[in-house]
Amino acid sequence: MTDETRNRGLDSTRRKFLKATTALAGTALAGLPGIAMAGKKHPKRGGTLRFGTRDDSVGLDTHRNIIYFVSHPLTGITGGLVDFDDKMQPKPAVAESWDASSDLMTWTFKLRRGAEYHNAQTIDAESVKWNIERIKDPKTSHAFTRSVLSDVERVTVDDKHTIRFHLKEPHAALDINLIYYPVNLMAPGAVDTVDTHPVNCGPFKFKSWRRLDVCELVRFENFWETDSEGNSLPYLDGLIGRPKKEDRVRLTALRTGELDLIDNVAYADAPSFKKDHGKTFDTWNVPQVGTAMMFFNLKNGLLSEKDNPDAHLLRQAIAHAIDHEGIHQAVFNGIGEISKGFYSSASPWHSKDIEGWPKFDPDKAKALRKKAKGGDEKFIIIANDTFPYMQQSGELAHAMLKDAGFNAVLEILPSPVMLEKQNKGDYHIDSTANSFRLDPDGWYGRNILSTAPENRRRIGYKNEKADQIILAARKERDPAKRRLMYADVETLVNRDLPMLYTHFVPLMMAGNRARVKGYDVSYSGPWSYTGAGMRRTWIEG
């Protein structure tokens, strides 16, 4: 994407911002094998890579289910209007260029000619319009995905290769929010088989899937992207995803040759693994794959002002009971950073101008709990059984709350049950995390804004001042000013406590050096992105 295609100046301001603020991110990633280095060897087309992941999607419909671009094998089938590079900046994909009106109320996307879905159906403006309208429909989409399009009033087709987004309110970051995670495109003509055989437009085509067992993908021969020499991507013949929840099970499978690449080495094993096996396995460090936190249920129950006048007092008591340093050491083995906001110091969106959450103070926690109405009642903590750090953080929070006198119980649950609990508001505290967002609106606009579907589904937080700032930030073109605005939102969040930030989630991938060639991971962990990752990987031997 060039300044000519972004003639409203959005791209130039982002580049200036990144140039001034990403020195630390570069330091954090120093030593990783870069794309240029990978390009020194001539790629060998072919081979099937066996990829061990922590998680898997709940279902195959990529609009109805979250397809997480770090730990879901199904990520390989997904593609969208906008892609991103290794620094998580927007890049052309199905849309080869785009432009925003001066008032940021209309965005026009020019589609790439010749791009296809996996069934050879042409990706034209009408099919993109169909996708956007399907995602906007609550009956056919996940709230997380739908939140991205909450400000889209309608989409119109100018011609076969031009589509316009007409917004309800100005939005300076619509393009970044339209990346394939989560706004991915599927073939309208194959919607009837979406739950058994999805047809999308990513670098790999769907072959078969058994949840939490195996996912088989094959190369999409007509994928739109090529390398610098004009060779079509991806290089691999196929990808076999092997979801394995337990970190050490994945690591053992890598060491014994059952897998070629794994998406995360356990924090307790990472330092010794790199030291003991660095000659055999490559490792890739990611400074922030996401942010861990405790979501509080403000929709109903003890922590909701609707049902309890002392709900905020109870949330303060809980916050004072949580030892962040304890989580840092016990869960993350001292790796990474404690979080007071959504973005770590490795991110260009990090801000020091944030008022932190209530500090760890067990005595104050006990006093506030005794004072507040409902302080002696049962508190349900839920945690997903897929990601160990969520479960372990939940276990620590449970112990800390028990020490402060709370009648707390912990439930470790599989993803489908977690989803049902969240939808019903059948919990008080959710030990969870959210993946990195390329633009802050992807976090604040989907999880903090009171009208966002995902906020309404999971938390139920409403603060008029926070809403005003988030909506104003959407109209602001200067990223540096937006960063300060979001710092004000974080301060409100840390005061109101709809959630309690705990830790930035680091990640270390590992792969068989002799077999896996050309691979490189992006800034926050996705393994499929512009001109790199799994698209440029090949297998030796």
Side-chain angles (χ1 to χ4, degrees):
M1 181 174 54
T2 65
D3 288 338
E4 287 74 23
T5 60
R6 303 292 309 281
N7 56 30
R8 299 300 177 187
L10 294 172
D11 195 41
S12 62
T13 54
R14 286 183 185 134
R15 286 201 307 270
K16 291 176 183 177
F17 180 62
L18 284 169
K19 184 176 181 181
T21 58
T22 53
L24 185 55
T27 301
L29 294 174
L32 299 189
I35 296 173
M37 183 182 295
K40 288 183 179 180
K41 283 190 175 183
H42 187 72
K44 176 183 177 182
R45 183 173 295 281
T48 298
L49 185 141
R50 301 162 300 170
F51 186 29
T53 64
R54 293 167 292 174
D55 196 14
D56 200 0
S57 174
V58 174
L60 294 175
D61 185 337
T62 59
H63 291 170
R64 193 181 297 275
N65 301 283
I66 293 176
I67 310 297
Y68 182 33
F69 63 177
V70 172
S71 293
H72 287 183
L74 284 168
T75 293
I77 72 172
T78 59
L81 286 171
V82 182
D83 209 352
F84 52 90
D85 62 16
D86 61 324
K87 297 297 188 295
M88 306 301 285
Q89 286 298 289
K91 292 293 178 181
V94 169
E96 62 182 3
S97 65
W98 54 90
D99 181 62
S101 61
S102 58
D103 61 2
L104 297 174
M105 291 290 288
T106 304
W107 285 73
T108 304
F109 290 80
K110 295 288 186 179
L111 304 186
R112 185 182 302 277
R113 295 174 186 271
E116 296 180 354
Y117 296 103
H118 294 159
N119 62 355
Q121 180 180 349
T122 299
I123 304 177
D124 58 15
E126 286 290 350
S127 72
V128 174
K129 180 176 184 289
W130 177 88
N131 273 273
I132 299 304
E133 291 176 345
R134 187 175 191 267
I135 293 172
K136 283 179 62 62
D137 184 353
K139 297 178 181 178
T140 52
S141 68
H142 193 285
F144 169 70
T145 306
R146 195 164 64 253
S147 290
V148 181
L149 303 174
S150 59
D151 275 342
V152 176
E153 184 174 44
R154 71 186 192 281
V155 291
T156 58
V157 172
D158 284 10
D159 56 48
K160 187 176 181 179
H161 301 287
T162 308
I163 186 167
R164 293 184 190 272
F165 286 69
H166 305 272
L167 309 184
K168 303 172 187 175
E169 300 286 343
H171 203 322
L174 179 70
D175 56 345
I176 299 180
N177 282 344
L178 290 178
I179 63 167
Y180 71 83
Y181 172 72
V183 184
N184 58 82
L185 304 177
M186 64 173 62
V191 69
D192 291 342
T193 64
V194 69
D195 291 316
T196 57
H197 194 101
V199 178
N200 294 66
C201 65
F204 296 92
K205 296 188 298 184
F206 179 85
K207 182 179 179 181
S208 68
W209 179 73
R210 292 193 301 274
R211 186 172 186 270
L212 297 176
D213 181 13
V214 63
C215 176
E216 294 182 275
L217 309 179
V218 296
R219 180 174 65 229
F220 177 35
E221 300 84 352
N222 296 324
F223 187 55
W224 55 266
E225 191 174 13
T226 62
D227 64 17
S228 59
E229 298 178 354
N231 300 307
S232 62
L233 297 177
Y235 296 145
L236 292 169
D237 286 334
L239 174 68
I240 296 178
R242 289 285 186 182
K244 298 177 183 291
K245 291 183 179 182
E246 295 79 12
D247 288 332
R248 286 183 174 166
V249 171
R250 281 196 314 280
L251 184 58
T252 298
L254 176 70
R255 292 184 59 190
T256 58
E258 179 186 342
L259 297 174
D260 302 309
L261 182 73
I262 60 174
D263 68 348
N264 188 54
V265 176
Y267 302 116
D269 294 330
S272 60
F273 176 78
K274 194 169 183 177
K275 178 182 177 182
D276 298 340
H277 304 285
K279 293 182 180 180
T280 306
F281 298 95
D282 283 319
T283 56
W284 298 268
N285 295 301
V286 175
Q288 185 188 355
V289 69
T291 306
M293 63 202 72
M294 303 285 173
F295 273 177
F296 296 146
N297 176 19
L298 274 60
K299 296 188 297 182
N300 54 60
L302 293 173
L303 300 183
S304 170
E305 276 78 5
K306 180 172 69 70
D307 295 333
N308 183 3
D310 288 343
H312 184 249
L313 205 61
L314 276 179
R315 299 198 300 271
Q316 288 180 313
I318 292 169
H320 280 300
I322 301 300
D323 181 1
H324 288 74
E325 180 62 28
I327 292 174
H328 177 58
Q329 296 299 333
V331 177
F332 296 96
N333 199 35
I335 299 171
E337 305 172 41
I338 294 172
S339 168
K340 291 187 177 181
F342 189 76
Y343 289 99
S344 74
S345 60
S347 167
W349 292 108
H350 174 72
S351 177
K352 296 179 180 179
D353 303 310
I354 297 174
E355 178 185 307
W357 23 251
K359 293 183 179 179
F360 175 54
D361 187 336
D363 292 335
K364 192 166 186 178
K366 293 175 183 177
L368 291 177
R369 181 194 63 77
K370 291 178 180 178
K371 181 180 178 181
K373 179 181 178 181
D376 293 326
E377 296 188 33
K378 184 169 72 172
F379 282 81
I380 300 174
I381 306 171
I382 60 174
N384 196 309
D385 68 355
T386 300
F387 296 96
Y389 66 85
M390 292 185 189
Q391 177 177 336
Q392 293 161 10
S393 294
E395 291 169 346
L396 276 180
H398 175 248
M400 292 168 184
L401 291 180
K402 294 284 283 186
D403 287 344
F406 283 91
N407 180 18
V409 297
L410 174 65
E411 299 178 1
I412 308 297
L413 306 168
S415 295
V417 180
M418 286 285 294
L419 183 62
E420 183 179 356
K421 288 265 189 181
Q422 292 163 356
N423 289 339
K424 292 181 178 179
D426 188 16
Y427 74 99
H428 297 100
I429 303 169
D430 180 359
S431 176
T432 187
N434 267 252
S435 56
F436 185 86
R437 299 289 185 265
L438 282 72
D439 184 273
D441 187 73
W443 168 247
Y444 304 101
R446 297 180 212 169
N447 295 82
I448 308 300
L449 186 68
S450 64
T451 56
E454 185 67 356
N455 175 18
R456 296 168 74 172
R457 182 184 78 85
R458 291 188 68 176
I459 308 174
Y461 175 56
K462 184 174 183 179
N463 182 304
E464 291 184 6
K465 186 175 181 181
D467 285 354
Q468 291 170 0
I469 297 172
I470 293 169
L471 294 176
R474 287 180 174 177
K475 304 175 185 179
E476 178 56 60
R477 296 175 181 272
D478 185 344
K481 292 180 180 178
R482 292 179 72 216
R483 180 177 60 180
L484 294 175
M485 296 169 78
Y486 292 124
D488 290 339
V489 175
E490 294 284 39
T491 294
L492 291 173
V493 168
N494 287 335
R495 290 176 184 172
D496 293 347
L497 294 171
M499 64 189 71
L500 180 67
Y501 293 112
T502 55
H503 205 277
F504 298 114
V505 182
L507 176 148
M508 189 176 85
M509 300 185 74
N512 186 317
R513 179 173 295 169
R515 281 180 52 82
V516 180
K517 304 295 181 180
Y519 181 76
D520 195 13
V521 69
S522 61
Y523 163 74
S524 70
W527 47 267
S528 176
Y529 59 102
T530 296
M534 210 71 76
R535 301 181 198 177
R536 278 195 60 122
T537 299
W538 72 94
I539 295 293
E540 291 283 358

